[in-house]
Amino acid sequence: MSKSYKEIMNDITTFVLDVDGVLTDGTIHLTPEGEMLRNMNIRDGYAMKAAIENGYTVCIISGGSNEGVRVRLRNLGITDIHLGVADKVETFKEFTDIYNIKPEQVLYMGDDLPDYWVMQLVGLPTCPQNAAPEIKEISKYISHKDGGTGSVRDVIEQVMKVQGKWMEHFNAQYD
């Protein structure tokens, strides 16, 4: 009998996230100079920062290579930021080897076909509500939120709640 996604959440120590379509809504605004601008959700940022402060590892693996994205994520305390990645499986394996992380300890959130093969390797593949059908099919949890509108906050908050760390984090700030 396979575990429910809530049971799997007990084992999660690491969040690996795509950017476009997960941390953003997947749209790109182009400036006259050709610069590509993206929107990110502030609540996703809060959740990633809370996860890091509670000892979770957060890693970004994206095919996109916007340096503004790197700056935003570094400001949240994320140090493992892999942008411009052509082979997400190879990058994922290198990352987990360096930190000695077991794939079953990883929640991966992706939204489209470049995420498909790496999602097959992790303990908890997840996606936003508006992910591609092929990604929804292999996900053990589909957020009720679209990419860029709080789907990352949704999964991180759920994991931290299952492990009893969500309000513990918040309360510790005011003790």
Side-chain angles (χ1 to χ4, degrees):
M1 188 159 122
S2 65
K3 290 181 173 181
S4 72
Y5 77 90
K6 287 280 189 184
E7 292 171 309
I8 296 168
M9 285 181 172
N10 280 311
D11 301 325
I12 298 302
T13 64
T14 304
F15 299 98
V16 179
L17 309 166
D18 180 31
V19 174
D20 292 320
V22 172
L23 287 169
T24 75
D25 64 6
T27 59
I28 297 173
H29 304 280
L30 297 171
T31 67
E33 297 78 29
E35 185 178 1
M36 294 184 278
L37 305 174
R38 292 158 171 86
N39 293 321
M40 290 188 167
N41 187 290
I42 215 78
R43 289 186 179 148
D44 286 344
Y46 175 81
M48 289 185 289
K49 190 171 180 155
I52 292 164
E53 290 172 358
N54 275 273
Y56 295 93
T57 303
V58 177
C59 173
I60 305 299
I61 303 176
S62 176
S65 57
N66 184 288
E67 285 305 306
V69 169
R70 185 184 309 276
V71 169
R72 164 71 176 142
L73 297 172
R74 279 229 165 98
N75 286 339
L76 295 172
I78 300 170
T79 56
D80 291 287
I81 304 167
H82 306 273
L83 303 179
V85 174
D87 185 344
K88 290 187 176 193
V89 169
E90 181 182 333
T91 301
F92 174 77
K93 286 181 177 179
E94 288 171 3
F95 164 74
T96 54
D97 286 348
I98 288 168
Y99 291 98
N100 196 28
I101 297 168
K102 296 176 183 156
E104 58 268 20
Q105 296 173 303
V106 176
L107 179 152
Y108 185 100
M109 182 171 266
D111 72 304
D112 209 349
L113 298 180
D115 302 304
Y116 186 88
W117 296 107
V118 71
M119 289 177 72
Q120 300 275 11
L121 303 175
V122 303
L124 187 53
T126 66
C127 68
Q129 176 62 42
N130 61 339
E134 297 86 352
I135 297 302
K136 285 181 161 184
E137 188 175 302
I138 63 168
S139 292
K140 291 183 181 175
Y141 175 75
I142 300 170
S143 176
H144 64 283
K145 300 274 191 176
D146 286 347
T149 67
S151 58
V152 170
R153 162 75 176 252
D154 174 36
V155 294
I156 291 175
E157 184 176 333
Q158 283 196 58
V159 168
M160 290 180 71
K161 282 181 175 178
V162 163
Q163 296 181 12
K165 296 180 179 178
W166 182 250
M167 287 305 291
E168 177 181 295
H169 161 76
F170 185 75
N171 290 336
Q173 293 179 343
Y174 296 99
D175 281 349

